[in-house]
């Protein structure tokens, strides 16, 4: 989510999404008008109090997010940003916790902060007994924090309760994506529940049945849509992770990776690798007799040698020597390979056996192609996404 950068909170970039101003204005107006009515206040006074209440309310949301953030930071996780938006706050974490136990503590820290604030405002209300209208404002803030803690404990992603549920399923199954899949299904159920409650409040389907409307509002409807959309997205990414579980770098290599032995003559290289090769590689990785990487050969470089000499010139003599390229081990889990491609921004990784023998090349395109082959094998190929061409590396077989 993007927004206007407001500053830093304990070193964490703090943003406000434009949608927040709408709800801030609304909250200020509602509290201001309530205060002026209940306490017969006039002039700008109730509006200033309304605005202060709204600011304290959003400070409560911010403290909730800082609760998540501090626990994450203690686990060595980077907190990329905290953003306030129309539905509350969002702490964006750089990565997932390492264990289900750690994930549990990050998730519950926010609601715990809210419950502590509830306790604090309740205690102020009881022991300090502030004069009106301040007593009412303190009571309101206690109530807001109670709701904030309780609502977020609803056990469906993307809510905190969903993350707690995820950590429990992760603990039981040993797979974090199982937890995500499970908790996001619950998130979708709660999303639909919110939409139905909200629609019911607006259009009154149940009025004739029960005589009263169930609680709900336009707001419930909007939150329902928000939950449904986010839960659907996380469910999808968990599904992809599930499909990739058990697969390795070797599974995702190009079946016909651009590899050639240094000791071939150019004629043999052309006959065996280039001519009739549908992949149409522009560049080949060159290996020595032990299968170790020693260079790369641009197919175009062969044009500098007359065809009549091709039997006498070796791949070795025409290749560009290279020391090394980013590589992965053949049995590295595919999920980690994708993380490496993302993190190192290296479009292609060489796949090596434990003895250093190069067996292929893996990149986004080859991963996508492998997933497509698997999907086609399951006769579900219709839904697969095509990868945009710009993600392809210089090794890519896609003709430009
Ligand atoms: Zn939270």
């Amino acid at each position: 989510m993007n927004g206007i950068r407001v500053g830093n909170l304990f070193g964490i970039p703090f943003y406000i999404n434009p949608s927040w101003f709408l709800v801030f204005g609304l909250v200020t107006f509602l509290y201001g008008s309530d205060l002026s009515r209940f306490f017969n206040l006039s002039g700008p006074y109730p509006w200033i109090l309304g605005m202060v209440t709204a600011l304290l309310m959003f400070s409560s949301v911010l403290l909730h997010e800082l609760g998540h953030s501090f626990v994450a930071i203690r686990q060595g996780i980077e907190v990329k940003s905290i953003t306030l938006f129309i539905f509350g706050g969002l702490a964006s974490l750089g990565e997932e916790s390492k264990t289900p136990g750690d994930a549990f503590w990050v998730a519950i820290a926010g609601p715990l902060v809210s419950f502590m604030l509830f306790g604090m405002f309740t205690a102020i209300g009881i022991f300090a007994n502030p004069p009106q209208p301040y007593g009412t404002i303190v009571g309101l803030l206690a109530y807001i924090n109670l709701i904030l803690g309780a609502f977020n404990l609803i056990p469906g992603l993307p809510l905190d309760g969903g993350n707690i549920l995820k950590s429990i399923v992760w603990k039981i199954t040993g797979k974090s994506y199982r937890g995500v899949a499970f908790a996001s299904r619950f998130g979708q159920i709660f999303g639909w529940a919110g939409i139905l409650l909200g629609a019911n409040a607006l259009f009154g389907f149940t009025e004739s049945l029960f005589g009263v409307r169930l609680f709900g509002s336009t707001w419930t409807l909007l939150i329902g849509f928000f939950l449904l959309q986010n839960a659907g997205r996380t469910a999808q990414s968990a599904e992809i992770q599930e499909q990739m579980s058990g697969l390795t770098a070797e599974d995702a290599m190009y079946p016909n990776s651009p590899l050639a032995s240094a000791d071939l003559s150019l004629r043999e290289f052309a006959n065996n690798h280039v001519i009739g090769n549908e992949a149409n590689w522009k560049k080949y990785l060159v290996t020595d007799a032990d299968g170790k990487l020693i260079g790369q050969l641009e197919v175009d470089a062969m044009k500098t040698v007359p065809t009549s000499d091709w039997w006498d010139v070796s791949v070795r003599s025409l290749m560009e020597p290279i020391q090394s390229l980013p590589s992965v081990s053949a049995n590295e889990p595919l999920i980690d390979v994708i993380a490496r491609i993302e993190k190192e921004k290296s479009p292609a990784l060489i796949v090596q056996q434990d003895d250093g023998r190069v067996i292929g090349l893996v990149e986004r395109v080859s991963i996508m192609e492998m997933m497509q082959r698997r999907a086609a094998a399951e006769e579900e190929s219709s839904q697969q996404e095509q990868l945009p061409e710009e993600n392809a590396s210089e090794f890519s077989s896609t003709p430009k």
Side-chain angles (χ1 to χ4, degrees), residues 2-18:
N2 33 28
I4 303 151
R5 175 126 184 206
V6 190
N8 276 317
L9 285 170
F10 305 97
I12 304 165
F14 171 42
Y15 293 86
I16 288 180
N17 183 272

Side-chain angles (χ1 to χ4, degrees), residues 9 18 48 78 82 111-112 162 167 187 205 209 216 228 233 240 252 281-282 299 306 310 326 348 365:
L9 285 170
I48 293 168
E78 180 206 5
I82 290 179
L112 283 181
S167 72
F205 305 127
L209 282 173
L228 192 64
R233 210 177 294 149
I240 291 170
W281 300 109
K282 294 202 257 313
V299 173
W310 278 12
V365 178

Side-chain angles (χ1 to χ4, degrees), residues 292-295 320-325 350 352:
K292 302 233 162 69
L293 182 75
I294 54 168
E320 263 171 70
I322 38 176
Q323 304 301 326
S324 66
L325 284 174
I350 294 170
Q352 281 178 323

